[in-house]
């Protein structure tokens, strides 16, 4: 099975790529600039066709995206090119080649908002990033695909991207004064767990849209204090706040992105961990640098 990992040089790809190789998968890595075996701008149909024609993948894992929420808001066409047209270029190639190629497409929990543990149909779109990711899902759904709505944390292996826990670890270690939000709820997975679930998805190829998060989501503030507690880091400089008390947030972000991932669990026959267990798992990744 030839796997093409698109967007492999980013935050998630830098964990997923070595994980899949360690599991014996035959992976070709792709990015736009550097740090991958194949380079191509996926928003350009000619470059996308050339790359896909050369590799002839059996499975495509698509991590390509514009994840900067503020940039998506001020440059909606960039959001379209990276989060939608890039997916259209993949699916157009699959359709025109009439080959059997399964797409695993990574989407986001930002397509949810409003107090709930959301099942897949409870979509609420509140910013350009969410809109463009949702449109990308629609393009992905036009071919046999597994669309995974997720969020993740863990120690970054990507030189140009810090994860949420990298930022927390650095701020707490340096005793920087930071604010963490009581009014933003989420249910992310450790990147290591997410990598295992993506591997399961490429082997089982379930068709449809699936939430892929942890059980018992919590606020970002509770998450930050639980992470500090696991690593015995002082929380004296970390203050709880709500998003309306700070000036630095430019673009509206959803307040409640918690996901109900039972559909994924039932389709794949797995039990996903609690967020508390995921925090414990990820804290171990930082023990060696603590
Ligand atoms: N980060 C999060 O917290 C988060 C949460 C939920 C869901 N997600 C989703 O998870 C996926 C992976 O996120 P990530 O944080 O790993 O993203 P990332 O760090 O921004 O990496 C994105 C990758 O896509 C490549 N790329 C972007 N535009 C491209 C284009 N036009 N052509 C070819 N390659 C292009 C980038 O290449 P260059 O490095 O060369 O630019 C990079 O390798 C995304 O779909 C995102 O929406 C992310």
């Amino acid at each position: 099975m030839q796997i093409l990992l698109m967007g492999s040089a980013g935050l998630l790809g830098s964990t997923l790529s070595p994980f899949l190789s360690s599991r014996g998968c035959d992976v070709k890595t792709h990015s736009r600039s550097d740090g991958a075996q194949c380079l191509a701008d996926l928003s350009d149909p000619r470059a996308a066709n050339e790359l896909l024609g050369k590799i002839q993948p059996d499975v495509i894992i698509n991590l390509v995206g514009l994840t900067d929420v503020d940039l998506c808001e001020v440059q909606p066409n960039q959001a379209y090119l990276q989060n939608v047209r890039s997916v259209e270029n993949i699916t157009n190639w699959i359709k025109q080649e009439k080959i059997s190629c399964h797409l695993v497409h990574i989407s986001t929990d930002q397509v949810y908002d409003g107090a709930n543990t959301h099942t897949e149909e409870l979509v609420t779109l509140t910013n350009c990033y969410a809109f463009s990711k949702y449109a990308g899902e629609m393009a992905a759904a036009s071919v046999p695909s597994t669309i995974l709505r997720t969020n993740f944390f863990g120690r970054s292996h990507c030189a140009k991207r810090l994860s949420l826990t990298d930022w927390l670890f650095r701020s707490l270690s340096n005793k920087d004064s930071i604010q963490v939000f009581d009014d933003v709820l989420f249910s992310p997975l450790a990147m290591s767990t997410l990598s295992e679930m993506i591997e399961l998805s490429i082997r089982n190829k379930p068709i449809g849209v699936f939430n892929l998060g942890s059980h018992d989501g919590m606020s970002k503030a509770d998450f930050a204090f639980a992470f500090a507690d696991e690593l015995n880091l002082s929380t004296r400089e970390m203050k709880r706040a709500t998003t309306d008390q700070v000036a630095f947030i430019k673009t509206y972000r959803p307040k409640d992105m918690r996901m109900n991932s039972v559909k994924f669990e039932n389709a794949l026959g797995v039990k996903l961990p609690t967020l508390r267990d995921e925090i414990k798992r990820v804290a171990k990744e930082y023990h060696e640098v603590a």
Side-chain angles (χ1 to χ4, degrees):
M1 181 163 68
Q2 177 68 73
I3 299 166
L4 179 57
L5 181 57
M6 307 193 97
S8 65
L11 179 58
L12 179 56
S14 300
T15 290
L16 181 59
S17 175
F19 171 79
L20 291 175
S21 299
S22 76
R23 302 281 297 176
C25 297
D26 184 3
V27 184
K28 283 266 182 306
T29 56
H30 153 270
S31 185
R32 181 174 43 186
S33 36
D34 50 13
Q37 290 163 302
C38 317
L39 303 181
D41 180 349
L42 202 55
S43 64
D44 173 355
R46 257 199 292 169
N49 279 339
E50 198 181 310
L51 169 70
L52 290 161
K54 197 170 87 186
I55 307 293
Q56 296 283 327
D58 302 300
V59 171
I60 296 168
I61 305 173
N62 182 31
L63 311 180
V64 166
L66 183 61
T67 55
D68 183 326
V69 174
D70 294 327
L71 195 56
C72 287
E73 205 67 14
V74 293
Q75 294 194 17
N77 196 51
Q78 278 305 317
Y80 161 68
L81 289 173
Q82 268 147 262
N83 293 334
V84 188
R85 192 186 285 177
S86 58
V87 192
E88 291 172 332
N89 288 339
I90 295 172
T91 57
N92 285 342
W93 179 81
I94 294 174
K95 285 181 234 175
Q96 104 207 355
E97 291 291 308
K98 297 190 176 63
I99 53 156
S100 152
C101 174
H102 188 79
L103 173 63
V104 175
H105 176 71
I106 304 303
S107 190
T108 176
D109 60 353
Q110 292 233 0
V111 297
Y112 299 119
D113 198 6
N116 221 324
T117 301
H118 302 86
T119 47
E120 284 78 358
E121 72 283 3
L122 291 174
V123 167
T124 300
L125 301 175
T126 54
N127 59 37
C128 274
Y129 174 63
F131 247 102
S132 62
K133 290 299 290 183
Y134 187 70
E137 290 183 3
M138 293 171 88
S142 68
V143 296
S145 57
T146 306
I147 297 163
L148 301 173
R149 291 182 183 152
T150 192
N151 196 346
F152 47 83
F153 63 103
R155 198 164 157 202
S156 172
H157 298 287
C158 174
K160 54 189 173 187
R161 288 287 313 273
L162 281 187
S163 70
L164 172 62
T165 39
D166 291 341
W167 171 75
L168 277 172
F169 182 75
R170 191 184 62 183
S171 306
L172 292 163
S173 303
N174 293 344
K175 302 193 170 37
D176 295 339
S177 166
I178 58 167
Q179 289 165 308
V180 287
F181 296 127
D182 262 328
D183 61 340
V184 180
L185 295 112
F186 68 160
S187 56
L189 282 176
M191 281 192 276
S192 49
T193 306
L194 179 55
S195 298
E196 289 164 11
M197 295 303 121
I198 291 173
E199 190 206 357
L200 204 58
S201 301
I202 61 181
R203 298 204 186 282
N204 289 273
K205 302 182 179 58
I207 303 287
V209 179
F210 299 89
N211 289 338
L212 181 47
S214 50
H215 283 278
D216 305 340
M218 56 180 82
S219 71
K220 291 207 170 178
D222 288 343
F223 174 92
F225 278 92
F227 179 67
D229 187 43
E230 283 302 324
L231 286 161
N232 285 322
L233 290 164
S234 165
T235 56
R236 203 173 309 153
E237 301 304 323
M238 185 159 73
K239 300 281 176 278
R240 290 176 182 270
T242 54
T243 44
D244 57 7
Q245 292 171 325
V246 301
F248 58 81
I249 296 181
K250 293 183 221 141
T251 305
Y252 177 84
R253 279 147 169 92
K255 299 286 184 298
D256 191 343
M257 295 163 283
R258 287 173 300 160
M259 295 181 289
N260 173 329
S261 302
V262 166
K263 184 180 171 189
F264 182 89
E265 291 183 316
N266 289 342
L268 278 298
V270 286
K271 180 87 183 136
L272 291 161
T274 65
L275 182 49
R276 186 79 218 197
D277 285 343
E278 288 295 79
I279 293 168
K280 282 185 204 296
R281 181 175 188 174
V282 162
K284 292 197 186 103
E285 297 172 8
Y286 292 85
H287 272 140
E288 59 204 68
V289 281

